[in-house]
Amino acid sequence: EKYQADELRYENGMKFKRCGRSGVLLPKLSLGFWHNFGGVDDYGRSREITHYAFDKGVTHFDLANNYGPPYGSAEETLGRLMDDSFRPYRDELFISTKAGYDMWPGPYGNWGSRKYLISSLDQSLKRMRLEYVDLFYSHRYDPDTPLEETLQALVDIVRSGKALYIGISRWPLHALKVAIKYLREHDTPLLIYQGRLNLMDKSPLEEGIIDECSREGIGFISFSPLAQGLLTDRYLNGIPFDSRMTRGKFLRKEMLTDDVLARIRHLNEMAARRRETLAEMALSWILSHDAVTSVLVGASSTEQLEKNLKCIDAGPFTDDMLDAM
Ligand code: NDP
């Protein structure tokens, strides 16, 4: 039957945070389409997860050209969802997509050329049945394409009306600095940096990415904030048959070493002392950094989302706790 969004969707507890020095507010928890929205996944389930999310004020959905599998199919799912459910709410949604990884065969379906980025976004818009995206990302740094070519393509994409804002993901600090300057000088300020920050991987803090974003007024959104599910109760007692580690190819069994398991158990005990789930504590730790705009979670069920949303109201961390994390 027809989806009718919850009338109280902005009174259900979601908090919004300004994305750097911009006009955009993002929900503190956003939803990613990397897994669970592909052609291989159950559409009914994907639909249920997005309805639940939007009803709780999750206004930001994050995609990429090659999310699936197969490639392109997560965007096709979004297109179907637009027609089935979300068209009336288009202006309440902040939708992003990306290009930068392998998408189609040959030399023009990968990396950071103008040729690739512009044609990829055209394809993405068709699959998503959208006229424009709110945010378009360069998905990764390309060491072989002049940064100015990639950046000018992003500027031109905004000028053409196919995206409202520009982001970059996984660029090293030196290239981030070039991007901030170039985009500012071309009247298309960089909105946001997407990087992996979580309790297993603090490299954006260590490498100075977070400081740079904060100083320059750029938003920061953390992908894989739960380390693909490691920072939850999922793997505390073995590897469930329906988990990403069993089903997917990106979270490999070798990643669950004794050291990792010991760290997860330690963090789980800390969370229990806070009367929180590990997932909740892991997300609120990320959000406790002022420069972080949002955590970009994945979910294979509405129950997971429900648990993860609790991070919005989580308590503060004492210095002792932070030291022990
Ligand atoms: P997470 O670290 O949030 O992992 C999500 C997975 O963890 C779920 O699919 C689920 O796996 C498990 N999970 C989530 N919540 C719970 C819970 N409460 N209890 C138990 N298990 C839980 O994020 P992702 O790795 O999915 O990444 C999120 C988004 O970030 C992506 O969708 C994408 O948009 C973006 N991203 C961007 C990248 C980039 O290069 N820019 C790279 C990677 C991601 P299970 O299937 O086992 O239930």
Side-chain angles (χ1 to χ4, degrees):
E1 82 257 32
K2 199 80 203 139
Y3 167 65
Q4 185 78 48
D6 188 341
E7 281 179 23
L8 297 176
R9 59 191 172 280
Y10 296 112
E11 285 139 65
N12 276 338
M14 180 53 72
K15 292 189 179 128
F16 291 82
K17 183 160 175 177
R18 188 165 301 274
C19 189
R21 283 193 293 273
S22 78
V24 176
L25 303 184
L26 291 180
K28 287 195 160 197
L29 185 142
S30 306
L31 179 66
F33 276 49
W34 182 28
H35 288 75
N36 306 303
F37 295 88
V40 298
D41 297 299
D42 175 42
Y43 175 71
R45 169 79 68 95
S46 307
R47 187 164 185 243
E48 191 190 357
I49 292 171
T50 52
H51 290 176
Y52 183 86
F54 190 64
D55 284 344
K56 300 292 178 202
V58 179
T59 52
H60 178 29
F61 296 164
D62 178 73
L63 292 93
N65 55 357
N66 63 358
Y67 289 174
Y71 288 2
S73 61
E75 290 181 330
E76 282 166 359
T77 298
L78 183 87
R80 199 170 156 193
L81 287 166
M82 288 311 299
D83 284 351
D84 287 351
S85 302
F86 289 108
R87 191 73 60 199
Y89 308 103
R90 172 66 185 98
D91 295 340
E92 291 184 46
L93 281 169
F94 201 83
I95 297 172
S96 57
T97 195
K98 324 182 185 78
Y101 284 92
D102 52 308
M103 182 59 198
W104 63 84
Y108 317 119
N110 205 346
W111 295 102
S113 68
R114 176 182 185 86
K115 168 80 174 159
Y116 174 41
L117 296 186
I118 291 182
S119 50
S120 178
L121 177 55
D122 284 342
Q123 291 185 13
S124 291
L125 292 174
K126 286 200 189 94
R127 286 190 290 266
M128 295 193 286
R129 305 180 201 172
L130 296 175
E131 283 166 13
Y132 67 94
V133 287
D134 299 284
L135 170 59
F136 183 68
Y137 283 97
S138 158
H139 205 161
R140 65 167 156 176
Y141 169 68
D142 176 353
D144 296 323
T145 295
L147 281 180
E148 291 71 18
E149 174 173 337
T150 305
L151 292 166
Q152 187 60 43
L154 297 174
V155 168
D156 290 341
I157 278 169
V158 170
R159 297 252 165 87
S160 73
K162 290 172 190 171
L164 303 184
Y165 299 91
I166 288 306
I168 60 177
S169 180
R170 315 176 84 125
W171 283 37
L173 182 61
H174 69 88
L176 167 62
K177 289 182 176 170
V178 174
I180 291 172
K181 184 162 184 288
Y182 189 96
L183 293 171
R184 199 173 271 153
E185 283 169 359
H186 292 77
D187 300 326
T188 315
L190 180 65
L191 181 72
I192 196 164
Y193 182 99
Q194 185 172 133
R196 179 170 50 224
L197 172 66
N198 62 43
L199 281 171
M200 300 281 202
D201 182 356
K202 301 179 182 173
S203 43
L205 283 171
E206 291 153 3
E207 290 166 6
I209 299 274
I210 300 267
D211 276 349
E212 179 70 10
C213 288
S214 156
R215 210 172 23 243
E216 295 293 335
I218 314 297
F220 182 95
I221 187 164
S222 171
F223 72 74
S224 295
L226 299 171
Q228 300 200 54
L230 287 175
L231 290 166
T232 70
D233 59 10
R234 209 84 168 96
Y235 303 101
L236 281 173
N237 303 300
I239 302 177
F241 74 96
D242 62 344
S243 65
R244 184 177 300 185
M245 201 173 279
T246 307
R247 287 162 48 231
K249 62 171 183 176
F250 293 98
L251 185 62
R252 297 183 314 276
K253 293 200 166 77
E254 307 85 81
M255 290 157 94
L256 196 62
T257 59
D258 289 346
D259 281 357
V260 166
L261 202 52
R263 176 150 175 78
I264 297 171
R265 294 218 168 100
H266 163 72
L267 292 168
N268 189 52
E269 280 159 23
M270 287 189 68
R273 285 200 290 279
R274 286 167 59 87
R275 298 178 201 288
E276 294 171 2
T277 64
L278 172 51
E280 183 184 348
M281 183 181 79
L283 297 173
S284 56
W285 176 80
I286 302 170
L287 289 173
S288 73
H289 297 87
D290 255 353
V292 173
T293 315
S294 182
V295 286
L296 178 46
V297 300
S300 63
S301 68
T302 56
E303 291 75 19
Q304 288 181 352
L305 258 190
E306 184 179 4
K307 286 185 186 157
N308 298 346
L309 280 162
K310 295 219 166 74
C311 73
I312 307 289
D313 293 314
F317 293 95
T318 63
D319 289 344
D320 284 352
M321 275 179 199
L322 291 174
D323 289 344
M325 295 173 91

